[in-house]
Amino acid sequence: MRKTLIYTVVLGLCILFGGHAIAAEPLYPERPTGFVNDQAGMLGDSDDLEQMLSDFEAETSNELAVITINSLEGVSIEEYSEQLFQKWGIGKAEKDNGALLVVVKDDREMRIETGYGLEGALPDALADQIIRKEITPEFKEGRYHNGVKMGLQAIMAATKGEYNPIDTDPESESTIAGIVGFGIFLLVVVIIVVSSIFAARATRKGGRRGGGSSSDDSSSGSSWTSSDSGSSWGSGSSSSFGGFSGGSSGGGGASGRW
Amino acid sequence: MKKGLLACGIIAGVVVLIGIVIAVFFMGTYNTLVKSRENVDNKWAQVENQYQRRADLIPNLVNTVKGYASHEEDVFTEVTALRSQWGKAVDSGDREQQIEAANGMDSAISRLLLVAESYPELKANENFLQLQAQLEGTENRIAVERMRYNDEVTTYNKKIKVFPTNLIAGMFGFIVVEYFEAEEGSDVVPEVTFD
Protein backbone atom coordinates (compact mmCIF):
# COMPACT_ATOMS: atom_id res chain seq x y z
CA MET A 1 0.00 0.00 0.00
CA ARG A 2 2.70 2.39 1.07
CA LYS A 3 4.81 1.65 -1.97
CA THR A 4 1.91 2.45 -4.28
CA LEU A 5 1.47 5.78 -2.54
CA ILE A 6 5.14 6.65 -2.90
CA TYR A 7 5.18 5.63 -6.54
CA THR A 8 2.10 7.74 -7.23
CA VAL A 9 3.60 10.77 -5.54
CA VAL A 10 6.90 10.39 -7.38
CA LEU A 11 5.10 9.89 -10.67
CA GLY A 12 2.99 12.94 -10.00
CA LEU A 13 6.04 15.04 -9.29
CA CYS A 14 7.73 13.76 -12.41
CA ILE A 15 4.77 14.70 -14.55
CA LEU A 16 4.58 18.06 -12.87
CA PHE A 17 8.18 18.97 -13.41
CA GLY A 18 9.00 16.69 -16.29
CA GLY A 19 6.32 18.26 -18.37
CA HIS A 20 8.23 21.50 -18.25
CA ALA A 21 11.25 19.91 -19.79
CA ILE A 22 9.22 18.32 -22.58
CA ALA A 23 7.38 21.61 -23.31
CA ALA A 24 8.25 22.91 -26.75
CA GLU A 25 9.67 26.34 -27.47
CA PRO A 26 6.95 28.97 -27.13
CA LEU A 27 5.57 30.29 -30.40
CA TYR A 28 6.35 33.86 -29.38
CA PRO A 29 9.57 33.64 -27.38
CA GLU A 30 9.66 36.06 -24.50
CA ARG A 31 13.07 37.43 -25.36
CA PRO A 32 15.41 37.11 -28.34
CA THR A 33 18.60 35.16 -27.80
CA GLY A 34 20.44 37.30 -30.29
CA PHE A 35 19.94 38.95 -33.64
CA VAL A 36 19.66 35.42 -35.01
CA ASN A 37 17.16 33.08 -33.33
CA ASP A 38 17.47 29.73 -35.01
CA GLN A 39 14.75 27.86 -33.14
CA ALA A 40 14.19 25.40 -35.96
CA GLY A 41 17.89 24.64 -36.26
CA MET A 42 17.95 25.39 -39.97
CA LEU A 43 20.99 27.61 -40.09
CA GLY A 44 23.71 25.45 -38.56
CA ASP A 45 26.49 27.57 -37.14
CA SER A 46 25.10 31.08 -37.33
CA ASP A 47 27.86 32.98 -35.55
CA ASP A 48 28.83 34.70 -38.77
CA LEU A 49 25.30 35.97 -39.29
CA GLU A 50 25.09 37.12 -35.69
CA GLN A 51 28.35 39.00 -36.08
CA MET A 52 27.25 40.52 -39.36
CA LEU A 53 24.03 41.86 -37.87
CA SER A 54 25.72 43.01 -34.72
CA ASP A 55 28.27 44.98 -36.73
CA PHE A 56 25.48 46.38 -38.86
CA GLU A 57 23.66 47.59 -35.80
CA ALA A 58 26.78 49.21 -34.41
CA GLU A 59 27.41 50.91 -37.72
CA THR A 60 23.94 52.10 -38.73
CA SER A 61 21.77 51.63 -35.60
CA ASN A 62 19.38 49.55 -37.74
CA GLU A 63 18.29 46.37 -36.00
CA LEU A 64 17.79 43.34 -38.23
CA ALA A 65 16.51 40.17 -36.64
CA VAL A 66 16.09 36.63 -37.90
CA ILE A 67 13.93 33.88 -36.45
CA THR A 68 13.36 30.39 -37.72
CA ILE A 69 10.50 28.35 -36.31
CA ASN A 70 9.13 24.93 -37.07
CA SER A 71 5.48 25.76 -37.45
CA LEU A 72 3.13 28.73 -37.34
CA GLU A 73 0.60 26.61 -35.47
CA GLY A 74 -2.32 27.92 -37.44
CA VAL A 75 -1.49 31.62 -37.21
CA SER A 76 -0.92 33.52 -40.46
CA ILE A 77 2.67 34.51 -41.09
CA GLU A 78 1.65 38.17 -41.34
CA GLU A 79 0.00 38.11 -37.95
CA TYR A 80 2.87 36.16 -36.43
CA SER A 81 5.51 38.51 -37.78
CA GLU A 82 3.67 41.63 -36.65
CA GLN A 83 3.01 40.26 -33.16
CA LEU A 84 6.58 39.10 -32.66
CA PHE A 85 8.00 42.34 -34.06
CA GLN A 86 5.93 44.37 -31.61
CA LYS A 87 6.71 42.03 -28.73
CA TRP A 88 10.45 42.25 -29.22
CA GLY A 89 10.36 45.90 -30.22
CA ILE A 90 12.85 45.59 -33.06
CA GLY A 91 14.52 48.83 -34.03
CA LYS A 92 15.36 51.96 -32.05
CA ALA A 93 12.31 53.44 -30.36
CA GLU A 94 12.66 56.92 -31.86
CA LYS A 95 13.54 55.68 -35.32
CA ASP A 96 11.56 52.43 -35.73
CA ASN A 97 14.44 51.23 -37.90
CA GLY A 98 14.01 47.49 -37.55
CA ALA A 99 13.34 44.56 -39.82
CA LEU A 100 12.50 40.96 -39.07
CA LEU A 101 13.05 37.94 -41.27
CA VAL A 102 10.79 35.04 -40.33
CA VAL A 103 11.41 31.57 -41.74
CA VAL A 104 8.93 28.76 -41.09
CA LYS A 105 10.35 25.32 -41.72
CA ASP A 106 7.31 23.05 -41.96
CA ASP A 107 5.06 25.52 -43.76
CA ARG A 108 7.88 26.56 -46.11
CA GLU A 109 6.91 30.19 -45.71
CA MET A 110 8.94 33.26 -45.02
CA ARG A 111 8.33 36.95 -44.43
CA ILE A 112 10.28 40.16 -44.16
CA GLU A 113 8.50 42.50 -41.74
CA THR A 114 9.61 46.13 -42.03
CA GLY A 115 9.56 48.72 -39.28
CA TYR A 116 7.96 52.11 -39.90
CA GLY A 117 11.34 53.76 -40.17
CA LEU A 118 12.67 51.45 -42.87
CA GLU A 119 9.63 51.55 -45.12
CA GLY A 120 11.21 54.23 -47.27
CA ALA A 121 14.45 52.35 -47.84
CA LEU A 122 12.85 48.90 -47.97
CA PRO A 123 9.43 49.20 -49.62
CA ASP A 124 7.20 46.17 -49.97
CA ALA A 125 8.04 45.61 -53.62
CA LEU A 126 11.75 45.53 -52.81
CA ALA A 127 11.22 43.15 -49.90
CA ASP A 128 9.25 40.95 -52.26
CA GLN A 129 12.06 41.01 -54.80
CA ILE A 130 14.62 40.12 -52.17
CA ILE A 131 12.52 37.15 -51.15
CA ARG A 132 11.94 35.97 -54.70
CA LYS A 133 15.37 36.59 -56.13
CA GLU A 134 17.84 36.27 -53.28
CA ILE A 135 16.35 33.93 -50.76
CA THR A 136 13.95 31.57 -52.53
CA PRO A 137 16.43 30.13 -55.04
CA GLU A 138 18.78 29.20 -52.18
CA PHE A 139 16.01 27.81 -50.02
CA LYS A 140 14.76 25.63 -52.87
CA GLU A 141 18.17 23.96 -52.90
CA GLY A 142 18.05 23.52 -49.14
CA ARG A 143 20.79 26.10 -48.61
CA TYR A 144 19.09 27.87 -45.74
CA HIS A 145 22.14 29.45 -44.17
CA ASN A 146 23.24 30.92 -47.46
CA GLY A 147 19.75 32.04 -48.39
CA VAL A 148 19.35 33.92 -45.14
CA LYS A 149 22.79 35.40 -45.54
CA MET A 150 22.09 36.69 -49.02
CA GLY A 151 18.70 38.00 -47.98
CA LEU A 152 20.20 39.88 -45.05
CA GLN A 153 22.96 41.31 -47.20
CA ALA A 154 20.40 42.57 -49.68
CA ILE A 155 18.37 44.14 -46.90
CA MET A 156 21.47 45.77 -45.44
CA ALA A 157 22.43 47.13 -48.83
CA ALA A 158 18.99 48.61 -49.25
CA THR A 159 18.91 50.25 -45.88
CA LYS A 160 22.52 51.23 -45.30
CA GLY A 161 22.70 54.66 -43.89
CA GLU A 162 19.13 55.29 -44.86
CA TYR A 163 16.79 55.63 -41.98
CA ASN A 164 14.01 58.16 -41.47
CA PRO A 165 13.81 59.19 -37.89
CA ILE A 166 10.22 59.05 -36.81
CA ASP A 167 9.45 61.33 -33.90
CA THR A 168 7.05 59.34 -31.79
CA ASP A 169 5.56 61.56 -29.14
CA PRO A 170 6.26 60.03 -25.74
CA GLU A 171 3.06 59.83 -23.73
CA SER A 172 3.56 62.65 -21.26
CA GLU A 173 1.84 61.62 -18.11
CA SER A 174 3.65 64.56 -16.55
CA THR A 175 0.58 66.79 -16.53
CA ILE A 176 -1.46 64.40 -14.43
CA ALA A 177 1.52 63.76 -12.22
CA GLY A 178 1.91 67.49 -11.83
CA ILE A 179 -1.66 67.97 -10.73
CA VAL A 180 -1.52 65.07 -8.32
CA GLY A 181 1.77 66.31 -6.92
CA PHE A 182 0.36 69.79 -6.44
CA GLY A 183 -2.67 68.37 -4.67
CA ILE A 184 -0.50 66.35 -2.32
CA PHE A 185 1.65 69.39 -1.69
CA LEU A 186 -1.40 71.42 -0.72
CA LEU A 187 -2.57 68.66 1.57
CA VAL A 188 0.81 68.51 3.26
CA VAL A 189 0.86 72.29 3.70
CA VAL A 190 -2.58 72.24 5.26
CA ILE A 191 -1.61 69.43 7.62
CA ILE A 192 1.54 71.27 8.65
CA VAL A 193 -0.37 74.48 9.22
CA VAL A 194 -3.08 72.77 11.25
CA SER A 195 -0.66 70.73 13.32
CA SER A 196 1.55 73.71 14.00
CA ILE A 197 -1.48 75.58 15.27
CA PHE A 198 -2.20 72.72 17.67
CA ALA A 199 1.47 72.45 18.64
CA ALA A 200 1.63 76.16 19.37
CA ARG A 201 -1.27 75.73 21.78
CA ALA A 202 0.23 72.70 23.48
CA THR A 203 3.21 74.45 25.04
CA ARG A 204 3.55 71.74 27.71
CA LYS A 205 6.23 69.60 26.15
CA GLY A 206 8.93 71.57 24.42
CA GLY A 207 10.83 68.68 22.97
CA ARG A 208 9.90 66.99 19.76
CA ARG A 209 9.01 63.38 19.65
CA GLY A 210 11.80 60.98 18.93
CA GLY A 211 13.41 61.49 15.56
CA GLY A 212 11.35 60.77 12.50
CA SER A 213 11.20 57.58 10.55
CA SER A 214 14.33 55.65 11.12
CA SER A 215 13.65 53.07 8.52
CA ASP A 216 16.59 52.92 6.23
CA ASP A 217 15.48 51.18 3.08
CA SER A 218 18.71 49.72 1.91
CA SER A 219 18.34 48.19 -1.49
CA SER A 220 17.75 44.49 -1.34
CA GLY A 221 20.78 42.27 -1.56
CA SER A 222 19.67 40.31 -4.61
CA SER A 223 20.68 42.40 -7.59
CA TRP A 224 18.41 41.29 -10.41
CA THR A 225 20.49 41.69 -13.52
CA SER A 226 18.59 40.85 -16.65
CA SER A 227 21.39 39.11 -18.46
CA ASP A 228 20.26 36.19 -20.57
CA SER A 229 22.85 33.92 -19.05
CA GLY A 230 20.25 31.20 -18.92
CA SER A 231 19.65 31.11 -22.61
CA SER A 232 23.13 31.46 -24.05
CA TRP A 233 23.52 28.08 -25.67
CA GLY A 234 27.23 28.02 -25.11
CA SER A 235 27.64 29.91 -28.35
CA GLY A 236 30.85 31.35 -27.08
CA SER A 237 29.69 34.96 -27.35
CA SER A 238 30.93 36.73 -24.28
CA SER A 239 28.25 39.43 -24.16
CA SER A 240 24.72 38.27 -23.41
CA PHE A 241 22.13 39.76 -25.76
CA GLY A 242 20.35 42.71 -24.24
CA GLY A 243 17.36 42.67 -26.53
CA PHE A 244 16.00 45.17 -29.02
CA SER A 245 15.17 48.80 -28.48
CA GLY A 246 11.42 49.22 -28.69
CA GLY A 247 10.86 49.91 -32.38
CA SER A 248 7.53 49.43 -34.08
CA SER A 249 6.15 48.08 -37.35
CA GLY A 250 3.01 48.94 -39.25
CA GLY A 251 2.64 45.66 -41.09
CA GLY A 252 4.82 46.56 -44.06
CA GLY A 253 6.95 43.97 -45.81
CA ALA A 254 6.44 40.94 -48.02
CA SER A 255 5.85 37.22 -47.71
CA GLY A 256 6.86 34.30 -49.85
CA ARG A 257 7.00 30.54 -50.09
CA TRP A 258 9.55 28.13 -51.38
CA MET B 1 -13.68 82.47 21.57
CA LYS B 2 -10.38 81.34 20.17
CA LYS B 3 -11.60 77.79 19.86
CA GLY B 4 -14.57 78.82 17.75
CA LEU B 5 -12.41 80.84 15.40
CA LEU B 6 -9.97 77.99 15.02
CA ALA B 7 -12.78 75.54 14.27
CA CYS B 8 -14.16 77.88 11.64
CA GLY B 9 -10.73 78.24 10.13
CA ILE B 10 -10.25 74.52 9.90
CA ILE B 11 -13.67 73.91 8.37
CA ALA B 12 -13.04 76.64 5.82
CA GLY B 13 -9.68 75.13 5.02
CA VAL B 14 -11.19 71.70 4.54
CA VAL B 15 -13.93 73.05 2.31
CA VAL B 16 -11.38 74.88 0.19
CA LEU B 17 -9.30 71.74 0.03
CA ILE B 18 -12.27 69.63 -1.08
CA GLY B 19 -13.08 72.26 -3.68
CA ILE B 20 -9.54 72.12 -5.00
CA VAL B 21 -9.60 68.33 -5.12
CA ILE B 22 -12.84 68.32 -7.12
CA ALA B 23 -11.50 70.94 -9.50
CA VAL B 24 -8.33 68.94 -9.97
CA PHE B 25 -10.38 65.82 -10.63
CA PHE B 26 -12.44 67.62 -13.25
CA MET B 27 -9.41 69.06 -14.94
CA GLY B 28 -7.50 65.79 -14.89
CA THR B 29 -10.39 63.75 -16.23
CA TYR B 30 -11.27 66.22 -18.94
CA ASN B 31 -7.68 66.32 -20.11
CA THR B 32 -7.46 62.55 -20.12
CA LEU B 33 -10.57 62.34 -22.28
CA VAL B 34 -9.24 64.94 -24.69
CA LYS B 35 -5.96 63.05 -25.04
CA SER B 36 -7.77 59.77 -25.54
CA ARG B 37 -9.93 61.21 -28.28
CA GLU B 38 -6.84 62.65 -29.96
CA ASN B 39 -5.28 59.20 -29.91
CA VAL B 40 -8.36 57.76 -31.60
CA ASP B 41 -8.27 60.46 -34.28
CA ASN B 42 -4.59 59.87 -34.76
CA LYS B 43 -5.12 56.15 -35.27
CA TRP B 44 -7.95 56.88 -37.69
CA ALA B 45 -5.61 59.09 -39.69
CA GLN B 46 -3.26 56.11 -39.97
CA VAL B 47 -6.07 53.92 -41.30
CA GLU B 48 -6.96 56.65 -43.78
CA ASN B 49 -3.34 56.86 -44.87
CA GLN B 50 -3.18 53.19 -45.74
CA TYR B 51 -6.44 53.28 -47.67
CA GLN B 52 -5.16 56.28 -49.57
CA ARG B 53 -1.99 54.39 -50.33
CA ARG B 54 -4.08 51.57 -51.76
CA ALA B 55 -6.28 53.96 -53.73
CA ASP B 56 -3.11 55.40 -55.26
CA LEU B 57 -2.06 51.97 -56.49
CA ILE B 58 -5.27 51.49 -58.46
CA PRO B 59 -4.46 53.47 -61.66
CA ASN B 60 -1.22 51.57 -62.10
CA LEU B 61 -2.98 48.28 -61.42
CA VAL B 62 -5.70 49.00 -63.95
CA ASN B 63 -3.18 49.96 -66.63
CA THR B 64 -1.11 46.85 -66.11
CA VAL B 65 -4.08 44.50 -66.25
CA LYS B 66 -5.51 46.38 -69.26
CA GLY B 67 -2.31 45.54 -71.11
CA TYR B 68 -3.28 41.89 -71.03
CA ALA B 69 -7.05 41.88 -70.60
CA SER B 70 -8.25 44.97 -72.39
CA HIS B 71 -11.77 43.75 -72.93
CA GLU B 72 -12.58 43.38 -69.23
CA GLU B 73 -14.08 46.85 -69.19
CA ASP B 74 -16.54 46.21 -66.36
CA VAL B 75 -14.03 45.61 -63.61
CA PHE B 76 -11.92 48.58 -64.70
CA THR B 77 -14.84 50.96 -64.67
CA GLU B 78 -16.04 49.64 -61.36
CA VAL B 79 -12.73 49.90 -59.52
CA THR B 80 -12.02 53.38 -60.91
CA ALA B 81 -15.48 54.55 -59.89
CA LEU B 82 -15.05 53.24 -56.37
CA ARG B 83 -11.69 54.94 -56.17
CA SER B 84 -13.29 58.34 -56.86
CA GLN B 85 -15.98 57.50 -54.35
CA TRP B 86 -13.23 57.06 -51.79
CA GLY B 87 -11.73 60.40 -52.76
CA LYS B 88 -15.07 62.13 -52.24
CA ALA B 89 -15.56 60.44 -48.89
CA VAL B 90 -12.16 61.67 -47.69
CA ASP B 91 -13.00 65.22 -48.74
CA SER B 92 -16.29 65.08 -46.91
CA GLY B 93 -14.53 63.98 -43.74
CA ASP B 94 -17.47 61.78 -42.81
CA ARG B 95 -15.97 58.75 -41.18
CA GLU B 96 -18.93 56.45 -41.84
CA GLN B 97 -18.93 57.38 -45.50
CA GLN B 98 -15.22 56.68 -45.65
CA ILE B 99 -15.66 53.24 -44.11
CA GLU B 100 -18.33 52.43 -46.65
CA ALA B 101 -16.18 53.63 -49.56
CA ALA B 102 -13.18 51.71 -48.22
CA ASN B 103 -15.19 48.50 -48.08
CA GLY B 104 -16.41 49.16 -51.61
CA MET B 105 -12.84 49.51 -52.85
CA ASP B 106 -12.07 46.24 -51.09
CA SER B 107 -14.51 44.21 -53.18
CA ALA B 108 -13.70 45.99 -56.43
CA ILE B 109 -9.99 45.27 -56.11
CA SER B 110 -10.67 41.65 -55.21
CA ARG B 111 -12.75 41.31 -58.37
CA LEU B 112 -10.02 42.86 -60.48
CA LEU B 113 -7.38 40.54 -59.06
CA LEU B 114 -9.66 37.57 -59.60
CA VAL B 115 -9.92 38.52 -63.26
CA ALA B 116 -6.16 38.76 -63.46
CA GLU B 117 -5.91 35.18 -62.21
CA SER B 118 -7.01 33.83 -65.61
CA TYR B 119 -4.17 35.50 -67.51
CA PRO B 120 -0.94 33.56 -66.90
CA GLU B 121 1.17 35.98 -68.91
CA LEU B 122 -0.07 38.80 -66.76
CA LYS B 123 0.72 36.86 -63.63
CA ALA B 124 4.31 36.43 -64.77
CA ASN B 125 4.73 40.09 -65.67
CA GLU B 126 7.32 41.70 -63.38
CA ASN B 127 5.39 44.92 -63.10
CA PHE B 128 2.28 43.07 -62.06
CA LEU B 129 4.19 41.04 -59.51
CA GLN B 130 5.53 44.22 -57.97
CA LEU B 131 2.06 45.71 -57.89
CA GLN B 132 0.76 42.59 -56.25
CA ALA B 133 3.47 42.83 -53.63
CA GLN B 134 2.55 46.45 -53.03
CA LEU B 135 -1.14 45.63 -52.81
CA GLU B 136 -0.56 42.78 -50.40
CA GLY B 137 1.70 44.97 -48.32
CA THR B 138 -0.95 47.66 -48.21
CA GLU B 139 -3.69 45.17 -47.36
CA ASN B 140 -1.62 43.99 -44.44
CA ARG B 141 -0.96 47.51 -43.25
CA ILE B 142 -4.64 48.28 -43.48
CA ALA B 143 -5.40 45.25 -41.36
CA VAL B 144 -2.81 46.28 -38.77
CA GLU B 145 -3.92 49.91 -38.58
CA ARG B 146 -7.58 48.94 -38.36
CA MET B 147 -6.76 46.63 -35.48
CA ARG B 148 -4.83 49.38 -33.69
CA TYR B 149 -7.62 51.84 -34.36
CA ASN B 150 -10.16 49.47 -32.88
CA ASP B 151 -7.94 48.92 -29.85
CA GLU B 152 -7.71 52.67 -29.33
CA VAL B 153 -11.48 53.01 -29.74
CA THR B 154 -11.98 50.37 -27.07
CA THR B 155 -9.78 52.29 -24.64
CA TYR B 156 -11.59 55.54 -25.34
CA ASN B 157 -15.10 54.08 -25.19
CA LYS B 158 -14.32 52.40 -21.90
CA LYS B 159 -13.13 55.69 -20.46
CA ILE B 160 -16.25 57.62 -21.35
CA LYS B 161 -18.61 54.90 -20.19
CA VAL B 162 -17.05 54.24 -16.79
CA PHE B 163 -18.36 56.00 -13.68
CA PRO B 164 -17.59 58.74 -12.64
CA THR B 165 -15.78 59.74 -15.82
CA ASN B 166 -19.01 59.34 -17.79
CA LEU B 167 -20.46 62.36 -16.00
CA ILE B 168 -17.73 64.63 -17.26
CA ALA B 169 -17.83 62.97 -20.67
CA GLY B 170 -21.51 63.76 -20.95
CA MET B 171 -20.98 67.34 -19.80
CA PHE B 172 -18.40 68.10 -22.46
CA GLY B 173 -19.85 66.14 -25.33
CA PHE B 174 -17.55 63.13 -25.57
CA ILE B 175 -19.51 60.54 -27.51
CA VAL B 176 -18.99 56.89 -28.27
CA VAL B 177 -16.91 56.16 -31.37
CA GLU B 178 -17.83 53.45 -33.87
CA TYR B 179 -15.55 50.49 -34.48
CA PHE B 180 -14.23 49.83 -37.95
CA GLU B 181 -15.99 46.62 -38.85
CA ALA B 182 -15.70 44.63 -42.02
CA GLU B 183 -18.71 44.89 -44.26
CA GLU B 184 -21.13 41.99 -44.22
CA GLY B 185 -20.15 39.52 -46.90
CA SER B 186 -16.91 41.26 -47.82
CA ASP B 187 -15.06 38.07 -47.02
CA VAL B 188 -16.99 36.22 -49.71
CA VAL B 189 -15.26 36.39 -53.08
CA PRO B 190 -17.85 37.16 -55.76
CA GLU B 191 -18.31 34.92 -58.76
CA VAL B 192 -16.93 36.38 -61.98
CA THR B 193 -18.81 35.23 -65.06
CA PHE B 194 -17.21 35.39 -68.47
CA ASP B 195 -20.03 35.90 -70.92
Side-chain angles (χ1 to χ4, degrees):
Chain A
M1 258 309 286
R2 248 233 181 129
K3 260 194 181 168
T4 327
L5 183 63
I6 293 175
Y7 282 151
T8 319
V9 170
V10 171
L11 183 64
L13 285 173
C14 280
I15 293 173
L16 198 66
F17 294 107
H20 179 74
I22 301 169
E25 288 277 358
L27 185 58
Y28 298 99
E30 201 51 47
R31 248 179 266 110
T33 56
F35 288 97
V36 179
N37 300 267
D38 189 13
Q39 279 192 8
M42 298 168 78
L43 306 178
D45 180 9
S46 54
D47 282 351
D48 61 331
L49 298 174
E50 184 72 25
Q51 192 61 48
M52 184 172 78
L53 294 181
S54 176
D55 292 341
F56 186 62
E57 192 272 330
E59 201 187 321
T60 63
S61 89
N62 297 332
E63 297 182 353
L64 304 190
V66 181
I67 185 169
T68 69
I69 54 173
N70 281 307
S71 158
L72 285 167
E73 294 172 28
V75 170
S76 79
I77 195 169
E78 284 82 16
E79 185 184 327
Y80 177 78
S81 305
E82 195 263 338
Q83 293 287 315
L84 189 65
F85 196 108
Q86 296 299 100
K87 188 180 185 111
W88 284 0
I90 303 172
K92 301 286 180 272
E94 339 73 66
K95 295 175 191 162
D96 287 328
N97 53 346
L100 172 67
L101 173 60
V102 177
V103 182
V104 187
K105 186 175 179 189
D106 294 345
D107 302 320
R108 295 175 75 98
E109 271 191 82
M110 68 179 116
R111 179 169 177 84
I112 295 176
E113 183 84 6
T114 326
Y116 282 117
L118 289 183
E119 286 186 3
L122 188 62
D124 300 343
L126 187 55
D128 180 62
Q129 277 189 0
I130 291 175
I131 286 179
R132 278 190 289 120
K133 296 184 176 163
E134 304 287 333
I135 309 181
T136 307
E138 295 293 309
F139 276 19
K140 281 198 160 131
E141 302 293 319
R143 293 195 288 265
Y144 299 115
H145 184 110
N146 213 35
V148 167
K149 186 172 188 175
M150 293 180 68
L152 290 175
Q153 283 172 336
I155 294 174
M156 294 192 317
T159 64
K160 207 154 197 169
E162 246 190 298
Y163 54 82
N164 299 316
I166 294 199
D167 291 316
T168 45
D169 212 343
E171 282 293 318
S172 58
E173 305 293 339
S174 54
T175 326
I176 296 176
I179 291 172
V180 170
F182 184 60
I184 292 175
F185 172 70
L186 272 183
L187 197 65
V188 168
V189 166
V190 166
I191 291 173
I192 290 175
V193 165
V194 169
S195 56
S196 61
I197 291 174
F198 274 114
R201 294 184 67 235
T203 48
R204 281 173 290 152
K205 292 195 178 113
R208 278 195 286 169
R209 297 215 166 237
S213 55
S214 55
S215 63
D216 54 282
D217 31 345
S218 53
S219 53
S220 58
S222 61
S223 50
W224 199 266
T225 51
S226 61
S227 65
D228 294 10
S229 50
S231 50
S232 59
W233 303 93
S235 56
S237 56
S238 49
S239 58
S240 52
F241 191 68
F244 297 107
S245 318
S248 212
S249 157
S255 315
R257 294 171 180 270
W258 75 88
Chain B
M1 259 294 285
K2 258 188 191 168
K3 243 186 187 170
L5 198 61
L6 178 65
C8 276
I10 291 176
I11 290 173
V14 168
V15 167
V16 166
L17 193 65
I18 290 175
I20 291 174
V21 166
I22 290 178
V24 162
F25 166 72
F26 257 69
M27 208 163 53
T29 311
Y30 177 73
N31 287 349
T32 309
L33 288 177
V34 166
K35 281 188 195 162
S36 191
R37 192 170 55 183
E38 267 313 295
N39 283 343
V40 171
D41 289 343
N42 176 302
K43 289 290 186 285
W44 173 258
Q46 294 285 61
V47 175
E48 220 178 64
N49 264 349
Q50 301 309 333
Y51 272 113
Q52 191 54 48
R53 185 199 189 107
R54 189 171 69 167
D56 292 341
L57 288 175
I58 288 180
N60 205 359
L61 181 65
V62 166
N63 283 335
T64 309
V65 176
K66 254 189 189 168
Y68 291 80
S70 50
H71 53 284
E72 308 277 4
E73 279 304 320
D74 290 349
V75 271
F76 299 143
T77 325
E78 185 191 24
V79 80
T80 314
L82 281 155
R83 178 175 175 247
S84 14
Q85 192 181 37
W86 162 258
K88 287 202 199 98
V90 169
D91 289 338
S92 80
D94 180 347
R95 208 169 280 185
E96 262 191 57
Q97 211 182 329
Q98 283 180 301
I99 293 180
E100 203 185 302
N103 286 333
M105 260 203 306
D106 264 341
S107 354
I109 291 178
S110 308
R111 272 192 276 278
L112 181 58
L113 288 176
L114 198 63
V115 164
E117 280 298 308
S118 5
Y119 295 85
E121 276 177 22
L122 171 62
K123 291 207 287 183
N125 175 284
E126 183 66 29
N127 204 24
F128 183 72
L129 285 170
Q130 284 208 27
L131 272 170
Q132 246 188 338
Q134 284 175 308
L135 269 173
E136 279 166 20
T138 312
E139 291 296 338
N140 196 38
R141 285 164 216 261
I142 287 173
V144 168
E145 298 300 344
R146 274 171 62 164
M147 177 195 79
R148 292 182 185 172
Y149 172 72
N150 283 342
D151 284 346
E152 200 66 48
V153 167
T154 307
T155 308
Y156 172 76
N157 282 351
K158 271 190 195 168
K159 282 200 171 110
I160 67 172
K161 286 184 183 176
V162 159
F163 185 83
T165 321
N166 60 349
L167 300 172
I168 297 181
M171 259 186 260
F172 292 99
F174 288 91
I175 51 173
V176 173
V177 173
E178 294 284 319
Y179 286 104
F180 196 142
E181 274 158 356
E183 196 182 64
E184 292 289 316
S186 67
D187 51 342
V188 175
V189 177
E191 285 286 325
V192 177
T193 50
F194 296 91
D195 46 7

